[in-house]
Amino acid sequence: MGADTAAARLTALAADCVDHRFKGLPPDARGLTVGELTAQRRNLFTDGFTTPVLALSAERLTHNLALMESYAARHGLAFAPHGKTSMAPQLFHRQIEHGAWGITLAVPHQVWVAREFGVQRVFLANELVDAAALRRIAAELTADPDFRFVCYVDSVRGVELMAAALHGSARPVDVVVELAAGEGARTGVRTEAECAAVADAVAATPTLRLVGVAGYEGEVPEADPARVHAWLGRLTALAVDFDKAGRFAGVEEVVVSAGGSAWFDAVADVFAEIPELSRPVLKLLRSGAYVSHDDGHYRRLTPFARVPEEGALHPAFRLWSQVVSRPSPEQAFVNAGKRDAAYDLDLPEAQVIRRDGRERPAEGVAVTGLSDQHGWLTTSAGADLEVGDWVGLGLSHPCTSFDKWQLIPVVEADGTVVDYVRTFF
């Protein structure tokens, strides 16, 4: 797909109509296009937005994009951020503009979204054995010589199913053998001997091409720096062994890939030690949660917290809710719940309170639970909280924040909405 076509499809998002599909937008914006609403540069707090409404900080988003670009370059890493975090083509392209090699995805539907908006390099960090999806991938590869697609394999049976689905394809599908992060971990081959058997099966299949090895260190059982480094050492040693055995003959480069959002410092450490192979090595990092970061899970685990001289990511999401009930001095309820806030790892945290245009810390206020459409708050003695107050909530785990909002305002520090990010889940 040409760059002009991709740009046109991104531009077309602005022509979509503001209507009942999109939460939190001003009721009087109904019937405008997204582009027309953007041009009005409304204020999130004073120009009709309704609660709950999720906001993405313009300044923090820009900071995070630039920081990971510089981090990857500094450590000699290619970068394919996991797009399942946002499923937002506008953010895909901003990441690519900030040096990303391509986008990592997990299931076929996500690939179709990326292709619709002109993403030319896709790393599918998952096994793919669905025959219909494989046939469409083959058709995309045949139609577009510039399209690069790589996916996992982790079993001989999976290779056989792929071979059957791809029979007669003009261009082979590139695959990497996934090494499991340990016994009881998620997908992936458990032993190096089994990895070799899967690689042999790929070599016997003309419609597949082995281009490397990969895995996900976030699944290492009882992960700590020593265990994560040890598993990454196994992964890179597997690449070296495969290369010595001639398994990468005929490929332009060897792909070695890992990297969630909790241990990419370990990935950088170990990948820096990969010896020279018979082909150039594409050291592909896949961390994706950085784009919005968070106020919980990754704030505690981010490598930047362990290595502060590398910089710091900034939480870019805030979910604005409103106090709708104050039944007792110890309790209050806001109008944001499980349908609006990520809750699979940590509850949201109450950060700020807005009243009459003034913002202050949410002292003495804590989120203790979520119902479908309510957040349960406890308030300590003397906490200043009234019905009608806006409460800004910090969110944990961005992977389950984007999927609850189809159109997300991008907001400058003064509340001016400068863009809207469309998601496709």
Side-chain angles (χ1 to χ4, degrees), residues 13-67:
L13 292 175
D16 208 353
C17 185
V18 175
D19 58 23
H20 61 278
R21 294 169 294 167
F22 306 127
K23 300 189 291 185
L25 302 187
D28 65 354
R30 183 175 179 270
L32 297 177
T33 67
V34 173
E36 289 168 341
L37 181 58
T38 303
Q40 292 181 357
R41 294 177 63 86
R42 294 199 186 194
N43 187 281
L44 187 75
F45 306 111
T46 60
D47 288 332
F49 288 84
T50 63
T51 57
V53 59
L54 182 66
L56 185 61
S57 164
E59 295 89 352
R60 292 183 170 206
L61 173 62
T62 297
H63 167 84
N64 292 344
L65 288 165
L67 182 63

Tab-separated table of all heavy atoms in Angstrom, residues 13-67:
chain	number	residue	atom	x	y	z
A	13	LEU	N	-10.438	9.331	8.947
A	13	LEU	CA	-10.962	9.168	10.302
A	13	LEU	C	-11.584	10.466	10.797
A	13	LEU	O	-12.527	10.446	11.594
A	13	LEU	CB	-9.850	8.720	11.251
A	13	LEU	CG	-9.292	7.311	11.050
A	13	LEU	CD1	-8.124	7.069	11.991
A	13	LEU	CD2	-10.385	6.266	11.281
A	14	ALA	N	-11.051	11.598	10.354
A	14	ALA	CA	-11.577	12.892	10.786
A	14	ALA	C	-12.947	13.184	10.183
A	14	ALA	O	-13.664	14.074	10.659
A	14	ALA	CB	-10.601	14.002	10.414
A	15	ALA	N	-13.314	12.451	9.140
A	15	ALA	CA	-14.615	12.667	8.507
A	15	ALA	C	-15.723	11.868	9.173
A	15	ALA	O	-16.902	12.020	8.821
A	15	ALA	CB	-14.537	12.303	7.023
A	16	ASP	N	-15.362	11.022	10.145
A	16	ASP	CA	-16.377	10.232	10.835
A	16	ASP	C	-17.285	11.153	11.635
A	16	ASP	O	-16.870	12.208	12.125
A	16	ASP	CB	-15.703	9.219	11.763
A	16	ASP	CG	-16.556	7.984	11.982
A	16	ASP	OD1	-17.711	7.973	11.531
A	16	ASP	OD2	-16.055	7.033	12.612
A	17	CYS	N	-18.538	10.738	11.804
A	17	CYS	CA	-19.531	11.569	12.468
A	17	CYS	C	-19.489	11.347	13.978
A	17	CYS	O	-19.338	10.219	14.454
A	17	CYS	CB	-20.916	11.229	11.925
A	17	CYS	SG	-22.223	12.277	12.567
A	18	VAL	N	-19.585	12.412	14.739
A	18	VAL	CA	-19.702	12.313	16.194
A	18	VAL	C	-21.138	11.918	16.519
A	18	VAL	O	-22.089	12.642	16.185
A	18	VAL	CB	-19.353	13.658	16.860
A	18	VAL	CG1	-19.594	13.591	18.366
A	18	VAL	CG2	-17.908	14.038	16.563
A	19	ASP	N	-21.303	10.766	17.167
A	19	ASP	CA	-22.655	10.276	17.459
A	19	ASP	C	-22.641	9.380	18.692
A	19	ASP	O	-21.696	9.412	19.489
A	19	ASP	CB	-23.250	9.572	16.236
A	19	ASP	CG	-22.413	8.393	15.746
A	19	ASP	OD1	-21.627	7.831	16.538
A	19	ASP	OD2	-22.534	8.019	14.560
A	20	HIS	N	-23.677	8.554	18.810
A	20	HIS	CA	-23.899	7.735	19.998
A	20	HIS	C	-22.798	6.710	20.256
A	20	HIS	O	-22.717	6.146	21.346
A	20	HIS	CB	-25.224	6.994	19.850
A	20	HIS	CG	-25.248	6.073	18.667
A	20	HIS	ND1	-25.506	6.514	17.383
A	20	HIS	CD2	-24.998	4.744	18.551
A	20	HIS	CE1	-25.437	5.499	16.552
A	20	HIS	NE2	-25.129	4.417	17.225
A	21	ARG	N	-21.927	6.435	19.277
A	21	ARG	CA	-20.889	5.414	19.458
A	21	ARG	C	-19.808	5.845	20.433
A	21	ARG	O	-19.109	4.998	21.000
A	21	ARG	CB	-20.240	5.082	18.116
A	21	ARG	CG	-21.145	4.402	17.107
A	21	ARG	CD	-20.474	4.380	15.740
A	21	ARG	NE	-20.315	5.731	15.197
A	21	ARG	CZ	-19.563	6.032	14.150
A	21	ARG	NH1	-18.864	5.081	13.548
A	21	ARG	NH2	-19.490	7.276	13.696
A	22	PHE	N	-19.657	7.128	20.640
A	22	PHE	CA	-18.482	7.643	21.329
A	22	PHE	C	-18.864	8.254	22.678
A	22	PHE	O	-19.644	9.218	22.746
A	22	PHE	CB	-17.781	8.684	20.455
A	22	PHE	CG	-17.452	8.173	19.077
A	22	PHE	CD1	-17.848	8.873	17.951
A	22	PHE	CD2	-16.766	6.980	18.903
A	22	PHE	CE1	-17.551	8.402	16.673
A	22	PHE	CE2	-16.468	6.504	17.640
A	22	PHE	CZ	-16.868	7.207	16.522
A	23	LYS	N	-18.258	7.716	23.730
A	23	LYS	CA	-18.581	8.136	25.088
A	23	LYS	C	-17.891	9.454	25.449
A	23	LYS	O	-16.761	9.709	25.030
A	23	LYS	CB	-18.129	7.076	26.100
A	23	LYS	CG	-18.758	5.708	25.913
A	23	LYS	CD	-18.425	4.781	27.068
A	23	LYS	CE	-16.971	4.374	27.128
A	23	LYS	NZ	-16.702	3.375	28.200
A	24	GLY	N	-18.573	10.230	26.285
A	24	GLY	CA	-17.954	11.378	26.913
A	24	GLY	C	-17.905	12.645	26.090
A	24	GLY	O	-17.506	13.695	26.602
A	25	LEU	N	-18.273	12.585	24.814
A	25	LEU	CA	-18.169	13.769	23.965
A	25	LEU	C	-19.347	14.717	24.214
A	25	LEU	O	-20.408	14.296	24.676
A	25	LEU	CB	-18.114	13.362	22.493
A	25	LEU	CG	-16.966	12.430	22.105
A	25	LEU	CD1	-16.929	12.259	20.591
A	25	LEU	CD2	-15.628	12.938	22.626
A	26	PRO	N	-19.190	15.993	23.898
A	26	PRO	CA	-20.265	16.957	24.167
A	26	PRO	C	-21.544	16.605	23.408
A	26	PRO	O	-21.500	16.367	22.192
A	26	PRO	CB	-19.672	18.282	23.669
A	26	PRO	CG	-18.189	18.086	23.702
A	26	PRO	CD	-17.971	16.649	23.362
A	27	PRO	N	-22.693	16.583	24.081
A	27	PRO	CA	-23.945	16.281	23.379
A	27	PRO	C	-24.231	17.228	22.220
A	27	PRO	O	-24.800	16.823	21.204
A	27	PRO	CB	-24.997	16.416	24.490
A	27	PRO	CG	-24.255	16.124	25.751
A	27	PRO	CD	-22.888	16.696	25.538
A	28	ASP	N	-23.816	18.497	22.348
A	28	ASP	CA	-24.098	19.443	21.265
A	28	ASP	C	-23.150	19.298	20.080
A	28	ASP	O	-23.283	20.012	19.087
A	28	ASP	CB	-24.093	20.879	21.777
A	28	ASP	CG	-22.733	21.347	22.266
A	28	ASP	OD1	-21.793	20.527	22.327
A	28	ASP	OD2	-22.613	22.541	22.605
A	29	ALA	N	-22.195	18.339	20.171
A	29	ALA	CA	-21.316	18.063	19.029
A	29	ALA	C	-21.912	17.015	18.097
A	29	ALA	O	-21.332	16.725	17.043
A	29	ALA	CB	-19.945	17.596	19.521
A	30	ARG	N	-23.044	16.471	18.470
A	30	ARG	CA	-23.682	15.443	17.642
A	30	ARG	C	-23.920	15.982	16.234
A	30	ARG	O	-24.455	17.059	16.040
A	30	ARG	CB	-25.004	15.014	18.268
A	30	ARG	CG	-25.718	13.894	17.529
A	30	ARG	CD	-26.950	13.470	18.320
A	30	ARG	NE	-27.668	12.408	17.638
A	30	ARG	CZ	-28.639	12.600	16.754
A	30	ARG	NH1	-29.001	13.848	16.436
A	30	ARG	NH2	-29.248	11.580	16.184
A	31	GLY	N	-23.476	15.206	15.226
A	31	GLY	CA	-23.635	15.602	13.831
A	31	GLY	C	-22.422	16.271	13.237
A	31	GLY	O	-22.292	16.339	12.007
A	32	LEU	N	-21.518	16.768	14.094
A	32	LEU	CA	-20.247	17.279	13.576
A	32	LEU	C	-19.376	16.119	13.140
A	32	LEU	O	-19.559	14.971	13.575
A	32	LEU	CB	-19.506	18.069	14.660
A	32	LEU	CG	-20.142	19.344	15.215
A	32	LEU	CD1	-19.269	19.907	16.333
A	32	LEU	CD2	-20.329	20.371	14.104
A	33	THR	N	-18.416	16.382	12.288
A	33	THR	CA	-17.386	15.379	12.048
A	33	THR	C	-16.330	15.487	13.152
A	33	THR	O	-16.228	16.514	13.850
A	33	THR	CB	-16.709	15.572	10.689
A	33	THR	OG1	-15.964	16.797	10.717
A	33	THR	CG2	-17.727	15.596	9.553
A	34	VAL	N	-15.535	14.439	13.289
A	34	VAL	CA	-14.453	14.471	14.271
A	34	VAL	C	-13.492	15.611	13.954
A	34	VAL	O	-13.014	16.314	14.854
A	34	VAL	CB	-13.710	13.120	14.303
A	34	VAL	CG1	-12.480	13.194	15.204
A	34	VAL	CG2	-14.644	12.007	14.771
A	35	GLY	N	-13.240	15.836	12.664
A	35	GLY	CA	-12.361	16.931	12.268
A	35	GLY	C	-12.923	18.284	12.643
A	35	GLY	O	-12.189	19.180	13.100
A	36	GLU	N	-14.233	18.465	12.464
A	36	GLU	CA	-14.857	19.740	12.826
A	36	GLU	C	-14.789	19.963	14.331
A	36	GLU	O	-14.515	21.070	14.799
A	36	GLU	CB	-16.299	19.767	12.343
A	36	GLU	CG	-16.425	19.875	10.824
A	36	GLU	CD	-17.837	19.607	10.322
A	36	GLU	OE1	-18.639	18.999	11.070
A	36	GLU	OE2	-18.119	19.993	9.167
A	37	LEU	N	-15.033	18.905	15.099
A	37	LEU	CA	-14.946	19.028	16.548
A	37	LEU	C	-13.515	19.332	16.986
A	37	LEU	O	-13.291	20.169	17.871
A	37	LEU	CB	-15.447	17.750	17.213
A	37	LEU	CG	-15.448	17.729	18.746
A	37	LEU	CD1	-16.282	18.864	19.318
A	37	LEU	CD2	-15.936	16.375	19.271
A	38	THR	N	-12.550	18.683	16.346
A	38	THR	CA	-11.145	18.948	16.673
A	38	THR	C	-10.805	20.412	16.428
A	38	THR	O	-10.128	21.059	17.242
A	38	THR	CB	-10.227	18.047	15.833
A	38	THR	OG1	-10.548	16.680	16.053
A	38	THR	CG2	-8.763	18.279	16.188
A	39	ALA	N	-11.271	20.942	15.314
A	39	ALA	CA	-10.956	22.328	14.949
A	39	ALA	C	-11.511	23.332	15.956
A	39	ALA	O	-10.984	24.443	16.084
A	39	ALA	CB	-11.489	22.633	13.554
A	40	GLN	N	-12.541	22.953	16.682
A	40	GLN	CA	-13.114	23.866	17.673
A	40	GLN	C	-12.241	24.010	18.910
A	40	GLN	O	-12.438	24.942	19.692
A	40	GLN	CB	-14.509	23.383	18.080
A	40	GLN	CG	-15.534	23.491	16.970
A	40	GLN	CD	-16.921	23.024	17.422
A	40	GLN	OE1	-17.114	22.566	18.551
A	40	GLN	NE2	-17.889	23.142	16.524
A	41	ARG	N	-11.301	23.086	19.106
A	41	ARG	CA	-10.370	23.135	20.237
A	41	ARG	C	-11.117	23.411	21.550
A	41	ARG	O	-10.804	24.321	22.326
A	41	ARG	CB	-9.273	24.185	20.003
A	41	ARG	CG	-8.355	23.830	18.845
A	41	ARG	CD	-7.323	24.921	18.601
A	41	ARG	NE	-6.420	25.104	19.742
A	41	ARG	CZ	-5.314	24.408	19.948
A	41	ARG	NH1	-4.965	23.440	19.101
A	41	ARG	NH2	-4.547	24.664	20.996
A	42	ARG	N	-12.106	22.589	21.797
A	42	ARG	CA	-12.895	22.760	23.017
A	42	ARG	C	-12.062	22.418	24.253
A	42	ARG	O	-11.083	21.681	24.183
A	42	ARG	CB	-14.124	21.870	22.970
A	42	ARG	CG	-15.118	22.240	21.888
A	42	ARG	CD	-16.457	21.638	22.191
A	42	ARG	NE	-17.423	21.840	21.120
A	42	ARG	CZ	-18.730	21.648	21.257
A	42	ARG	NH1	-19.225	21.248	22.439
A	42	ARG	NH2	-19.544	21.834	20.242
A	43	ASN	N	-12.521	22.938	25.383
A	43	ASN	CA	-11.878	22.630	26.653
A	43	ASN	C	-12.593	21.450	27.299
A	43	ASN	O	-13.832	21.413	27.360
A	43	ASN	CB	-11.918	23.842	27.582
A	43	ASN	CG	-11.096	23.610	28.844
A	43	ASN	OD1	-11.545	22.947	29.775
A	43	ASN	ND2	-9.879	24.147	28.861
A	44	LEU	N	-11.825	20.484	27.759
A	44	LEU	CA	-12.394	19.266	28.332
A	44	LEU	C	-13.292	19.564	29.525
A	44	LEU	O	-14.289	18.853	29.757
A	44	LEU	CB	-11.258	18.324	28.764
A	44	LEU	CG	-11.678	16.929	29.229
A	44	LEU	CD1	-12.071	16.071	28.035
A	44	LEU	CD2	-10.547	16.258	30.013
A	45	PHE	N	-12.988	20.626	30.271
A	45	PHE	CA	-13.672	20.875	31.528
A	45	PHE	C	-14.804	21.885	31.427
A	45	PHE	O	-15.702	21.897	32.274
A	45	PHE	CB	-12.663	21.354	32.579
A	45	PHE	CG	-11.494	20.422	32.747
A	45	PHE	CD1	-10.223	20.808	32.342
A	45	PHE	CD2	-11.665	19.150	33.277
A	45	PHE	CE1	-9.144	19.953	32.477
A	45	PHE	CE2	-10.590	18.296	33.415
A	45	PHE	CZ	-9.329	18.677	33.013
A	46	THR	N	-14.796	22.703	30.407
A	46	THR	CA	-15.771	23.806	30.365
A	46	THR	C	-16.623	23.839	29.107
A	46	THR	O	-17.525	24.684	29.015
A	46	THR	CB	-15.037	25.159	30.488
A	46	THR	OG1	-14.115	25.313	29.395
A	46	THR	CG2	-14.289	25.257	31.804
A	47	ASP	N	-16.356	22.935	28.158
A	47	ASP	CA	-17.042	23.037	26.865
A	47	ASP	C	-17.907	21.828	26.543
A	47	ASP	O	-18.014	21.405	25.392
A	47	ASP	CB	-16.026	23.269	25.743
A	47	ASP	CG	-15.442	24.669	25.773
A	47	ASP	OD1	-16.145	25.593	26.247
A	47	ASP	OD2	-14.296	24.850	25.354
A	48	GLY	N	-18.547	21.275	27.570
A	48	GLY	CA	-19.626	20.329	27.326
A	48	GLY	C	-19.300	18.861	27.345
A	48	GLY	O	-20.192	18.032	27.102
A	49	PHE	N	-18.058	18.466	27.585
A	49	PHE	CA	-17.753	17.037	27.697
A	49	PHE	C	-18.472	16.468	28.916
A	49	PHE	O	-18.613	17.138	29.950
A	49	PHE	CB	-16.241	16.814	27.807
A	49	PHE	CG	-15.506	17.064	26.521
A	49	PHE	CD1	-15.131	18.357	26.163
A	49	PHE	CD2	-15.215	16.022	25.656
A	49	PHE	CE1	-14.462	18.602	24.969
A	49	PHE	CE2	-14.541	16.245	24.461
A	49	PHE	CZ	-14.168	17.548	24.112
A	50	THR	N	-18.929	15.227	28.773
A	50	THR	CA	-19.680	14.596	29.850
A	50	THR	C	-18.841	13.512	30.509
A	50	THR	O	-17.973	12.906	29.890
A	50	THR	CB	-20.991	13.984	29.324
A	50	THR	OG1	-20.691	12.942	28.376
A	50	THR	CG2	-21.856	15.037	28.658
A	51	THR	N	-19.132	13.277	31.776
A	51	THR	CA	-18.400	12.255	32.522
A	51	THR	C	-19.163	10.933	32.498
A	51	THR	O	-20.399	10.923	32.415
A	51	THR	CB	-18.210	12.698	33.978
A	51	THR	OG1	-19.489	12.969	34.553
A	51	THR	CG2	-17.325	13.913	34.064
A	52	PRO	N	-18.422	9.819	32.551
A	52	PRO	CA	-16.960	9.725	32.561
A	52	PRO	C	-16.383	9.995	31.169
A	52	PRO	O	-17.024	9.724	30.165
A	52	PRO	CB	-16.698	8.287	32.988
A	52	PRO	CG	-17.899	7.536	32.514
A	52	PRO	CD	-19.057	8.496	32.643
A	53	VAL	N	-15.141	10.512	31.162
A	53	VAL	CA	-14.449	10.750	29.904
A	53	VAL	C	-12.961	10.457	30.111
A	53	VAL	O	-12.359	10.913	31.084
A	53	VAL	CB	-14.688	12.184	29.385
A	53	VAL	CG1	-14.213	13.247	30.370
A	53	VAL	CG2	-14.047	12.375	28.015
A	54	LEU	N	-12.404	9.681	29.205
A	54	LEU	CA	-10.987	9.335	29.257
A	54	LEU	C	-10.199	10.352	28.444
A	54	LEU	O	-10.558	10.664	27.310
A	54	LEU	CB	-10.746	7.935	28.677
A	54	LEU	CG	-9.300	7.430	28.711
A	54	LEU	CD1	-8.818	7.227	30.142
A	54	LEU	CD2	-9.171	6.129	27.917
A	55	ALA	N	-9.120	10.865	29.026
A	55	ALA	CA	-8.279	11.856	28.347
A	55	ALA	C	-6.852	11.344	28.248
A	55	ALA	O	-6.334	10.714	29.175
A	55	ALA	CB	-8.307	13.182	29.110
A	56	LEU	N	-6.230	11.637	27.111
A	56	LEU	CA	-4.841	11.270	26.858
A	56	LEU	C	-4.028	12.558	26.770
A	56	LEU	O	-4.324	13.425	25.947
A	56	LEU	CB	-4.749	10.478	25.555
A	56	LEU	CG	-3.405	9.890	25.140
A	56	LEU	CD1	-2.894	8.887	26.165
A	56	LEU	CD2	-3.529	9.209	23.766
A	57	SER	N	-3.024	12.686	27.624
A	57	SER	CA	-2.232	13.915	27.673
A	57	SER	C	-1.396	14.076	26.409
A	57	SER	O	-0.592	13.205	26.067
A	57	SER	CB	-1.314	13.887	28.891
A	57	SER	OG	-0.299	14.866	28.785
A	58	ALA	N	-1.564	15.204	25.735
A	58	ALA	CA	-0.796	15.463	24.509
A	58	ALA	C	0.694	15.544	24.808
A	58	ALA	O	1.519	14.972	24.082
A	58	ALA	CB	-1.283	16.760	23.863
A	59	GLU	N	1.045	16.261	25.867
A	59	GLU	CA	2.453	16.457	26.178
A	59	GLU	C	3.111	15.149	26.618
A	59	GLU	O	4.250	14.849	26.215
A	59	GLU	CB	2.604	17.505	27.288
A	59	GLU	CG	2.164	18.903	26.904
A	59	GLU	CD	0.680	19.172	27.168
A	59	GLU	OE1	-0.049	18.203	27.518
A	59	GLU	OE2	0.247	20.328	27.031
A	60	ARG	N	2.427	14.375	27.430
A	60	ARG	CA	3.021	13.136	27.926
A	60	ARG	C	3.117	12.076	26.833
A	60	ARG	O	4.082	11.313	26.792
A	60	ARG	CB	2.225	12.624	29.129
A	60	ARG	CG	2.371	13.543	30.327
A	60	ARG	CD	1.657	13.038	31.561
A	60	ARG	NE	2.038	13.848	32.713
A	60	ARG	CZ	2.013	13.425	33.965
A	60	ARG	NH1	1.615	12.186	34.238
A	60	ARG	NH2	2.376	14.217	34.952
A	61	LEU	N	2.138	12.049	25.949
A	61	LEU	CA	2.216	11.139	24.811
A	61	LEU	C	3.442	11.452	23.959
A	61	LEU	O	4.212	10.551	23.597
A	61	LEU	CB	0.941	11.270	23.977
A	61	LEU	CG	0.900	10.512	22.648
A	61	LEU	CD1	1.017	9.021	22.860
A	61	LEU	CD2	-0.391	10.855	21.894
A	62	THR	N	3.654	12.725	23.659
A	62	THR	CA	4.817	13.121	22.860
A	62	THR	C	6.118	12.757	23.574
A	62	THR	O	7.068	12.253	22.953
A	62	THR	CB	4.763	14.627	22.579
A	62	THR	OG1	3.595	14.913	21.787
A	62	THR	CG2	5.998	15.095	21.822
A	63	HIS	N	6.167	13.001	24.866
A	63	HIS	CA	7.361	12.657	25.644
A	63	HIS	C	7.657	11.163	25.580
A	63	HIS	O	8.803	10.752	25.349
A	63	HIS	CB	7.163	13.081	27.104
A	63	HIS	CG	8.184	12.517	28.038
A	63	HIS	ND1	9.425	13.095	28.240
A	63	HIS	CD2	8.166	11.390	28.812
A	63	HIS	CE1	10.115	12.370	29.098
A	63	HIS	NE2	9.375	11.332	29.463
A	64	ASN	N	6.642	10.343	25.786
A	64	ASN	CA	6.857	8.893	25.809
A	64	ASN	C	7.306	8.360	24.455
A	64	ASN	O	8.179	7.480	24.373
A	64	ASN	CB	5.577	8.185	26.260
A	64	ASN	CG	5.236	8.463	27.710
A	64	ASN	OD1	6.069	8.936	28.489
A	64	ASN	ND2	4.007	8.173	28.097
A	65	LEU	N	6.721	8.881	23.384
A	65	LEU	CA	7.138	8.468	22.046
A	65	LEU	C	8.610	8.784	21.812
A	65	LEU	O	9.379	7.952	21.314
A	65	LEU	CB	6.278	9.161	20.990
A	65	LEU	CG	4.829	8.694	20.860
A	65	LEU	CD1	4.017	9.700	20.066
A	65	LEU	CD2	4.755	7.318	20.215
A	66	ALA	N	9.020	9.973	22.186
A	66	ALA	CA	10.413	10.384	21.965
A	66	ALA	C	11.377	9.609	22.852
A	66	ALA	O	12.482	9.243	22.419
A	66	ALA	CB	10.551	11.885	22.219
A	67	LEU	N	10.973	9.332	24.081
A	67	LEU	CA	11.867	8.630	25.004
A	67	LEU	C	12.168	7.218	24.524
A	67	LEU	O	13.325	6.773	24.532
A	67	LEU	CB	11.247	8.588	26.403
A	67	LEU	CG	12.113	7.917	27.472
A	67	LEU	CD1	13.410	8.673	27.695
A	67	LEU	CD2	11.342	7.776	28.782
